[in-house]
């Protein structure tokens, strides 16, 4: 889904209207890069390379982030929300949940070289269990139309070896593999994991 950075960084204007957030609750910002700046870092050299080949000014890309923002089929930044939830009647302390989620986040870029993490936000200040929001930008190479490197979730996942099979989309397969990693981090701490 699309990312919601202002909620994640606890912008007062946004969260003052969100009643499920505890005013003095605990949250941590593990990584926070302004998406537009991340786009400059990730894509500017590819924009320049593309523009250098254009003979007509109207075909040049002036602002790649805004171009993606207007694309009905893409989000500039995607978000995954991850949590470790105890079985009904059981309890896992916040520090253990935080530790598992931190390990999951710290290993993200190794597991997902084509999904650039621009934000990671630990929230223990909302109703329910602690969780982390991970904001990421898909980066895919080898396009023949437009820039040779662009943002594109399906192609980015494909370049990580995850492709559609039958009715199962690449995104569903990828989310399942991320769940398997989270399971490993939990089991390493002695937890028995059941997926709902």
């Amino acid at each position: 889904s699309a990312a919601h950075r202002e909620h994640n960084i606890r912008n007062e204007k946004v969260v003052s209207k969100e009643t499920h957030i505890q005013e003095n609750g605990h949250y941590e910002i593990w990584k926070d890069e302004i998406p537009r700046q991340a786009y400059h870092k990730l894509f500017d050299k590819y924009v320049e390379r593309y523009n250098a080949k254009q003979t007509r000014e109207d075909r040049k890309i002036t602002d790649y982030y805004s171009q993606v923002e207007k694309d009905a089929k893409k989000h500039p930044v995607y978000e995954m929300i991850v949590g470790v939830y105890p079985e009904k009647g059981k309890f896992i302390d916040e520090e253990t949940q935080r530790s598992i989620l931190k390990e999951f986040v710290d290993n993200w870029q190794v597991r997902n070289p084509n999904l650039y993490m621009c934000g990671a936000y630990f929230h223990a200040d909302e109703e329910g269990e602690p969780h982390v929001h991970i904001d990421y930008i898909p980066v895919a190479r080898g396009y023949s139309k437009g820039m040779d490197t662009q943002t594109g979730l399906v192609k980015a996942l494909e370049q990580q070896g995850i492709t559609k099979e039958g009715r199962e989309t690449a995104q569903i397969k990828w989310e399942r593999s991320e769940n398997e990693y989270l399971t490993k981090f939990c089991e390493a701490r002695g937890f028995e994991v059941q997926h709902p």
Side-chain angles (χ1 to χ4, degrees):
S1 69
H4 303 284
R5 181 172 173 267
E6 296 305 313
H7 163 86
N8 290 340
I9 63 172
R10 296 306 193 233
N11 178 328
E12 187 56 39
K13 287 179 187 170
V14 173
V15 297
S16 63
K17 299 178 186 105
E18 297 181 317
T19 56
H20 68 289
I21 297 173
Q22 299 155 8
E23 198 174 323
N24 295 313
H26 177 72
Y27 71 94
E28 296 174 15
I29 297 173
W30 294 339
K31 182 172 186 179
D32 179 50
E33 207 171 329
I34 295 167
R36 190 175 287 277
Q37 289 175 359
Y39 263 71
H40 283 301
K41 182 170 83 178
L42 293 168
F43 299 109
D44 273 3
K45 65 181 170 191
Y46 305 110
V47 170
E48 285 170 28
R49 191 155 66 201
Y50 172 79
N51 285 344
K53 294 176 187 171
Q54 302 310 308
T55 53
R56 288 174 39 184
E57 283 299 313
D58 63 329
R59 289 212 175 129
K60 290 185 178 182
I61 297 168
T62 53
D63 183 351
Y64 185 55
Y65 181 85
S66 294
Q67 183 179 312
V68 173
E69 223 175 8
K70 291 175 192 148
D71 189 324
K73 294 179 181 172
K74 293 180 180 177
H75 300 299
V77 180
Y78 292 78
E79 178 176 77
M80 175 183 253
I81 302 171
V82 183
V84 178
Y85 306 99
E87 211 175 358
K88 202 170 183 158
K90 303 256 175 92
F91 174 76
I92 304 174
D93 65 281
E94 182 185 315
E95 188 45 47
T96 301
Q97 289 169 309
R98 181 196 175 282
S99 158
I100 292 166
L101 295 172
K102 186 77 170 79
E103 188 175 0
F104 184 82
V105 164
D106 288 347
N107 287 278
W108 175 274
Q109 219 55 81
V110 174
R111 293 189 315 272
N112 297 295
N114 290 62
L115 305 177
Y116 178 77
M117 185 196 324
C118 60
Y121 314 90
F122 175 72
H123 292 166
D125 60 349
E126 296 181 31
E127 289 170 17
E129 297 294 328
H131 55 274
V132 66
H133 296 252
I134 299 171
D135 291 355
Y136 61 92
I137 300 166
V139 180
R141 291 161 182 79
Y143 285 91
S144 53
K145 272 179 94 173
M147 291 160 38
D148 57 27
T149 299
Q150 304 177 28
T151 187
L153 184 57
V154 172
K155 195 169 178 82
L157 290 174
E158 182 184 296
Q159 290 175 354
Q160 287 186 187
I162 303 165
T163 54
K164 183 179 190 290
E165 277 181 51
R167 290 184 178 174
E168 194 172 51
T169 66
Q171 190 170 359
I172 289 168
K173 283 173 71 176
W174 169 71
E175 285 174 3
R176 193 173 61 243
S177 75
E178 286 298 293
N179 270 327
E180 287 166 9
Y181 279 107
L182 185 60
T183 297
K184 286 177 190 168
F185 297 142
C186 293
E187 288 174 345
R189 288 167 175 79
F191 291 108
E192 187 184 319
V193 178
Q194 294 174 351
H195 293 282

